[in-house]
Amino acid sequence: MTFEPLLHNEAHGFASVSWIAAVFDPVFARLEGWAAQVEDCASQPEGGRTTLDPLIETLVRTEFADADGMMIGAGFVSAPSFLGWHLAWWLGGQNPAGSALPATGIRHLETVEDPRDESFRDYTALEWWRVPAQTRRRHVTGPYVDYLCTDEYTLTLTLPVYRGGTELIGVVGIDLSVDQLERKLVPRLGAGGVPVTLINASARVVVSTDAHLATGALLRLPGLTERLRDPAPTPALLADGAHAFRWCGQTGLAVVVGPAAGQPIEAPNTHPSR
């Protein structure tokens, strides 16, 4: 396969970038709206848990009502310096951990918030908090198996929230089901007949049209590690000459197009998110 069609022929996979953006951009747009409302609430004299939690629940409930089944959890996680160790997070009906939901259709995720408790976990060390807190930018964490919330492969999209533009008060986030994402994307990704693989910034497979590439596996291709270190949006041919690479806008995800058979794959490294 030559460089030219691999990079520029839409039938060979890069039309998928716009489809992927059409899935993730609206989610981040919703998070940006949530962040603005949380900042406004936090700026009020009474902006504590008693006012913020009902606001988050209303936002999440509305999103679940409008969602297409991919969203399985959402909410706000406070910076310890703001509301203490506090998660205003809800699970929805599509979430396997959300069985026996009340009539409202969502339930609050109960967590240990006392750092003296032996079951307490410092969430500020976790990727979905740590990276956006450090970079001040949106972030996609996963895929990973979220044992606490979902027991299935999950992507967590988070966005930092600042009060007054400088004080980090938490992150807003949405959990997406990789299984539902796969059902939505793979039929379109595979329409061109060339393998198309969506990966994260660590080269972990999110979804792929290649049946040999499982979700969570590490994609090993010559030159891929170097390409993932380069934020340039221009499509590029990898070192093997058989695969092409392109970032998916500002999602933090990338598309690899081309044959993947025979590439060594590392087993998924699963770990809990919360």
Side-chain angles (χ1 to χ4, degrees):
M1 184 175 295
T2 63
F3 178 81
E4 188 69 20
L6 192 58
L7 287 183
H8 301 293
N9 189 333
E10 286 195 346
H12 286 151
F14 281 142
S16 59
V17 170
S18 61
W19 304 333
I20 293 165
V23 171
F24 287 93
D25 286 349
V27 179
F28 277 118
R30 186 59 57 91
L31 288 177
E32 288 170 358
W34 290 6
Q37 293 189 60
V38 170
E39 179 183 8
D40 181 67
C41 179
S43 299
Q44 305 303 316
E46 68 281 5
R49 294 190 186 190
T50 56
T51 55
L52 190 59
D53 282 17
L55 168 64
I56 298 298
E57 181 177 3
T58 298
L59 295 174
V60 170
R61 189 184 303 280
T62 300
E63 182 67 11
F64 271 119
D66 295 339
D68 57 6
M70 285 196 302
M71 190 176 89
I72 50 181
F76 169 76
V77 183
S78 172
S81 59
F82 177 46
L83 299 178
W85 299 93
H86 181 59
L87 283 82
W89 198 271
W90 279 263
L91 307 178
Q94 294 293 329
N95 192 322
S99 58
L101 287 172
T104 55
I106 65 174
R107 74 171 176 86
H108 183 257
L109 176 66
E110 300 299 330
T111 59
V112 175
E113 299 184 352
D114 184 351
R116 297 168 298 181
D117 192 296
E118 63 179 13
S119 299
F120 170 79
R121 189 173 190 194
D122 180 359
Y123 52 71
T124 63
L126 302 179
E127 179 182 340
W128 51 263
W129 171 281
R130 185 184 70 253
V131 175
Q134 292 174 348
T135 64
R136 299 177 62 98
R137 301 169 70 177
R138 61 171 63 176
H139 184 68
V140 178
T141 301
Y144 60 86
V145 176
D146 187 349
Y147 292 113
L148 178 59
C149 293
T150 67
D151 283 331
E152 67 170 84
Y153 271 111
T154 302
L155 288 179
T156 298
L157 284 61
T158 45
L159 186 76
V161 182
Y162 291 88
R163 180 165 55 185
T166 58
E167 180 192 358
L168 178 67
I169 60 173
V171 300
V172 286
I174 290 177
D175 284 338
L176 299 181
S177 163
V178 172
D179 180 64
Q180 293 299 318
L181 181 67
E182 185 175 37
R183 293 171 187 268
K184 188 180 185 72
L185 284 178
V186 166
R188 302 193 71 176
L189 297 181
V194 175
V196 178
T197 302
L198 179 65
I199 61 174
N200 67 11
S202 300
R204 293 283 174 186
V205 174
V206 179
V207 297
S208 179
T209 62
D210 186 333
H212 297 93
L213 296 176
T215 294
L218 183 65
L219 183 63
R220 297 183 182 273
L221 293 171
L224 180 58
T225 299
E226 292 74 16
R227 184 55 53 189
L228 286 167
R229 293 175 182 152
D230 183 359
T234 307
L237 192 66
L238 295 183
D240 65 355
H243 295 81
F245 172 95
R246 184 173 183 177
W247 287 107
C248 297
Q250 301 299 313
T251 63
L253 304 173
V255 166
V256 175
V257 181
Q263 297 296 333
I265 302 299
E266 180 182 298
N269 177 24
T270 61
H271 56 84
S273 70
R274 294 182 188 84

